[in-house]
């Protein structure tokens, strides 16, 4: 409880300082209004063009779509609703509740964590030679890309279906899978579909490439589990600037994962756990023989 109180006091001070900053922002927003920067008002709150542009960034709205009336209406409408609800929450003094304060602190930490990882990864942006090498090392995603035509059976993935997957991982046909799912009372659907080789992990795609005629594969797809069988394939190479852009995105994602791994290692060296948590968090599984 003492640790929680310290955190709440720290956040309260942070918000108090933020209040001073926001007061300054209020003056800036009033000044911005005279320059035509305000796009909406919600009571005493103003929504500036900078607020709207930031929403476009969060929603991944490309510059060429930011003048589309329907998109502007949706994004600006959602922003106005949030500003309104913020006013209601502040009026109800929800920002003073301990649980809410801790959630705000957690959100702040997550945003700063992500910002640090993104900036660190961006500082190591790959050059053209690195991008070319990455594409050469991952042909299935680029020059040797294929579109696989598959017959698939999809069903909701969860704890109750995990045992079914394990029991049927060596199934020889989709008919067999279909019948057993029906007998088990698991809702499912069977249909034709397509998979892009570039969306599959290299190791898994290698298994598909070495497939036999009767091979049935399993893959997670969002909230569903999918058993499928490859019926055909078509070459779909990705080349030129589109390939280079995808390579940069994938390399950036790899760089962020690497930074996360380094951070986890460094944090484990600095962390000192107390009481029972020292035993739980010791290297290995935390159990003594």
């Amino acid at each position: 409880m003492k640790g929680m109180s310290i955190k709440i006091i720290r956040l309260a001070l942070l918000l108090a300082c933020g209040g001073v900053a926001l007061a300054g922002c209020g003056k800036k927003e009033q000044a911005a209004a005279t320059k035509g920067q305000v796009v909406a008002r919600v009571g005493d709150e103003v929504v500036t063009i900078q607020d709207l542009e930031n929403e476009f960034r969060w929603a991944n709205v490309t510059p060429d779509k930011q003048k589309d009336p329907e998109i502007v209406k949706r994004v600006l409408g959602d922003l106005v609703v949030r500003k309104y609800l913020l006013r209601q929450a502040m009026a109800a003094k929800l920002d003073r509740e301990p649980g809410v304060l801790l959630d705000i602190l957690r959100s702040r930490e997550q945003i700063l964590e992500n910002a640090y990882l993104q900036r660190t990864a961006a500082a190591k942006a790959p050059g053209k030679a690195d991008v070319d090498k990455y594409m050469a090392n991952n042909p299935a995603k680029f020059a040797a890309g294929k579109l696989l035509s598959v017959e698939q059976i999809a069903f909701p993935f969860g704890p109750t279906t995990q045992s079914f997957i394990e029991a049927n991982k060596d199934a020889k046909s989709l008919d067999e899978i279909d019948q057993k799912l029906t007998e088990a009372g698991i809702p499912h659907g069977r249909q034709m579909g397509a998979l892009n080789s570039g969306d599959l992990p290299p190791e898994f795609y290698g298994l598909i490439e070495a497939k036999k005629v009767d091979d049935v594969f399993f893959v997670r797809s969002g909230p569903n589990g999918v058993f499928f069988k490859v019926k055909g394939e078509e070459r779909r190479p990705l080349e030129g600037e589109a390939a280079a852009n995808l390579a940069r995105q994938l390399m950036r994602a790899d760089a962020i994962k690497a930074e996360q791994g380094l951070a986890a290692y460094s944090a484990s060296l600095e962390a000192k756990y107390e009481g029972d948590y020292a035993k739980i968090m010791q290297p290995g599984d935390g159990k003594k023989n």
Side-chain angles (χ1 to χ4, degrees), residues 27-38 41:
K27 293 179 181 178
K28 290 180 181 179
E29 287 173 344
Q30 291 175 1
T34 63
K35 298 179 181 179
Q37 294 296 305
V38 174
R41 297 180 186 275

Side-chain angles (χ1 to χ4, degrees), residues 23-288:
C25 288
K27 293 179 181 178
K28 290 180 181 179
E29 287 173 344
Q30 291 175 1
T34 63
K35 298 179 181 179
Q37 294 296 305
V38 174
V39 297
R41 297 180 186 275
V42 188
D44 295 334
E45 293 285 328
V46 296
V47 180
T48 68
I49 189 65
Q50 289 81 10
D51 292 328
L52 182 58
E53 289 172 348
N54 196 46
E55 290 302 301
F56 286 144
R57 179 177 67 86
W58 272 89
N60 292 319
V61 177
T62 56
D64 61 304
K65 298 290 186 181
Q66 292 179 9
K67 298 297 183 183
D68 185 315
E70 288 300 317
I71 293 177
V72 172
K73 183 177 181 180
R74 173 176 56 81
V75 175
L76 183 55
D78 290 345
L79 178 54
V80 164
V81 171
R82 192 170 77 236
K83 292 283 188 180
Y84 171 80
L85 291 174
L86 171 64
R87 289 180 63 237
Q88 303 308 307
M90 297 296 284
K93 298 181 179 178
L94 294 179
D95 60 316
R96 301 182 186 181
E97 292 189 0
V100 175
L101 285 170
L102 288 173
D103 286 345
I104 293 173
L105 179 59
R106 184 176 186 275
S107 296
R108 175 179 178 270
E109 291 173 347
Q110 287 182 315
I111 291 170
L112 288 172
E113 170 196 13
N114 185 61
Y116 175 80
L117 290 172
Q118 293 286 347
R119 177 169 294 185
T120 305
K124 301 176 181 178
K128 184 178 183 305
D130 298 317
V131 171
D132 291 343
K133 182 178 179 181
Y134 182 87
M135 290 192 291
N137 290 339
N138 296 273
K141 296 181 182 297
F142 302 101
K146 294 179 181 178
L147 187 67
L148 306 177
S149 174
V150 301
E151 184 178 5
Q152 59 188 23
I153 297 178
F155 54 92
F157 186 87
T160 57
T161 56
Q162 182 63 52
S163 58
F164 178 89
I165 295 167
E166 289 296 325
N168 293 278
K169 61 183 179 181
D170 296 323
K172 296 300 181 183
S173 73
L174 292 181
D175 289 338
E176 180 184 345
I177 295 292
D178 200 345
Q179 181 181 346
K180 290 185 176 180
L181 282 169
T182 301
E183 292 172 352
I186 299 174
H188 59 282
R190 184 170 181 173
Q191 62 184 10
M192 295 299 295
L195 290 174
N196 192 310
S197 64
D199 297 332
L200 302 173
E203 299 82 4
F204 185 59
Y205 180 64
L207 292 176
I208 294 177
E209 283 286 270
K211 67 183 181 299
K212 298 178 181 178
V213 176
D214 296 329
D215 281 350
V216 174
F217 300 95
F218 174 80
V219 68
R220 283 285 304 273
S221 178
N224 297 322
V226 179
F227 281 100
F228 69 91
K229 185 174 183 178
V230 178
K231 293 291 188 176
E233 58 184 43
E234 176 186 345
R235 284 203 67 229
R236 286 287 181 89
L238 184 62
E239 300 169 328
E241 191 59 27
N245 288 336
L246 175 60
R248 293 188 192 98
Q249 292 176 19
L250 296 174
M251 293 175 77
R252 184 184 182 89
D254 289 344
I256 290 174
K257 288 181 181 179
E259 290 296 332
Q260 287 175 320
L262 179 60
Y265 175 74
S266 299
S268 68
L269 293 179
E270 290 192 23
K272 292 181 174 57
Y273 300 100
E274 305 290 338
D276 291 339
Y277 298 101
K279 297 178 182 178
I280 294 172
M281 299 301 292
Q282 66 184 358
D285 60 8
K287 297 178 181 179
K288 292 184 178 179

